Amino acid sequence: MKALKNILVGFLVSFVGSIPLGYLNIVGFEIYSKFGMNNLVFFLFGIISVEVFVIYFTLIFANSLVNNKKLMKAIEIFAIFFLLILAYSFYSHSNQTEKNHDYLEKYVMYSPFLIGVFLNCLNFLQVPFWTGWNLYLINSGYISVEKKLKYFYIIGTLMGIFLGMLALILALNSISQTTGSLTKYVMPVIIPLFFIALAVVQVYKVYKKYYSSKKN
């Protein structure tokens, strides 16, 4: 019963948590729209092959990571600059020639799986995300992590990430097809603004967490 509960809780948390995964969903959308379902599936497998280690180690060391306030602060501040760099990267690529604009193609030629691995290794936001969630779930008694039970939780999270990202990417593709005029604004406008908005939210979170409390 505990094993099933771990799977269900892990699935729900990661399915919902996969929605704000920012650039991973956007890149997945680009891969699917240009190169099809097979490449997208390999891309998602690349993502979860990294995620399994992130979830495992943040689950084991959640308490020690959270107590290291300097490390968490550095990661969260760096995430702001990382999001802004991504916004500029998508904007700058949109202004290049068609050959350079199709920048994903040269990577997909080699392996969409490796793209997923590489990009997810740069996804620093997942460290505080999973650390916070894992600590909350353990302390609240929603999951059990003794012995082999933690592996059932990890299996649930990986299933949730894969299906959550797949569902969102297919939804984005459906929206882009029904509103064709929107497609030409995706790379130069919508995606950069999306990352800028995430950066603004991250600035607010960092300020609220580390600076606002000092003034009060």
Side-chain angles (χ1 to χ4, degrees):
M1 193 65 180
K2 288 184 177 180
L4 179 60
K5 183 180 179 182
N6 276 12
I7 292 174
L8 291 176
V9 172
F11 179 86
L12 290 174
V13 169
S14 59
F15 188 91
V16 176
S18 67
I19 294 175
L21 277 179
Y23 72 103
L24 295 177
N25 287 316
I26 300 300
V27 173
F29 164 71
E30 289 289 314
I31 289 177
Y32 175 70
S33 61
K34 294 179 180 179
F35 308 109
M37 179 60 75
N38 288 339
N39 284 311
L40 173 61
V41 169
F42 280 109
F43 172 72
L44 295 179
F45 277 130
I47 289 174
I48 63 176
S49 69
V50 174
E51 208 73 5
V52 63
F53 294 103
V54 174
I55 297 170
Y56 176 80
F57 286 112
T58 55
L59 183 65
I60 299 300
F61 301 110
N63 286 302
S64 60
L65 283 174
V66 169
N67 291 330
N68 192 334
K69 294 182 178 180
K70 290 184 177 180
L71 175 61
M72 296 301 296
K73 183 179 179 180
I75 292 173
E76 292 178 10
I77 291 176
F78 178 78
I80 298 170
F81 297 98
F82 178 64
L83 290 167
L84 292 175
I85 290 171
L86 286 172
Y88 176 76
S89 175
F90 276 95
Y91 173 77
S92 62
H93 275 102
S94 69
N95 292 328
Q96 296 177 6
T97 62
E98 184 64 23
K99 180 179 179 180
N100 290 328
H101 170 77
D102 201 16
Y103 66 98
L104 283 173
E105 184 172 4
K106 62 182 179 181
Y107 298 117
V108 178
M109 284 174 57
Y110 297 105
S111 173
F113 176 84
L114 293 179
I115 296 176
V117 170
F118 176 73
L119 291 181
N120 203 22
C121 286
L122 298 178
N123 184 21
F124 299 102
L125 287 174
Q126 64 185 323
V127 175
F129 174 85
W130 281 115
T131 299
W133 264 115
N134 290 337
L135 185 57
Y136 170 76
L137 294 173
I138 293 171
N139 290 339
S140 301
Y142 289 113
I143 61 173
S144 304
V145 295
E146 63 270 14
K147 297 182 180 179
K148 295 182 179 181
L149 286 173
K150 58 179 171 290
Y151 298 114
F152 289 97
Y153 168 73
I154 294 173
I155 290 172
T157 59
L158 296 180
M159 292 169 56
I161 292 170
F162 184 90
L163 294 178
M165 291 189 67
L166 180 63
L168 182 60
I169 290 168
L170 293 178
L172 289 173
N173 184 71
S174 177
I175 293 171
S176 68
Q177 288 181 347
T178 55
T179 56
S181 59
L182 184 66
T183 306
K184 63 180 180 180
Y185 297 107
V186 170
M187 285 290 290
V189 179
I190 296 176
I191 295 177
L193 287 177
F194 174 75
F195 287 123
I196 291 173
L198 288 179
V200 171
V201 171
Q202 185 67 14
V203 169
Y204 174 77
K205 288 169 62 178
V206 170
Y207 174 79
K208 187 86 172 174
K209 185 175 182 179
Y210 297 106
Y211 300 103
S212 178
S213 58
K214 291 182 179 180
K215 290 184 178 181
N216 296 332

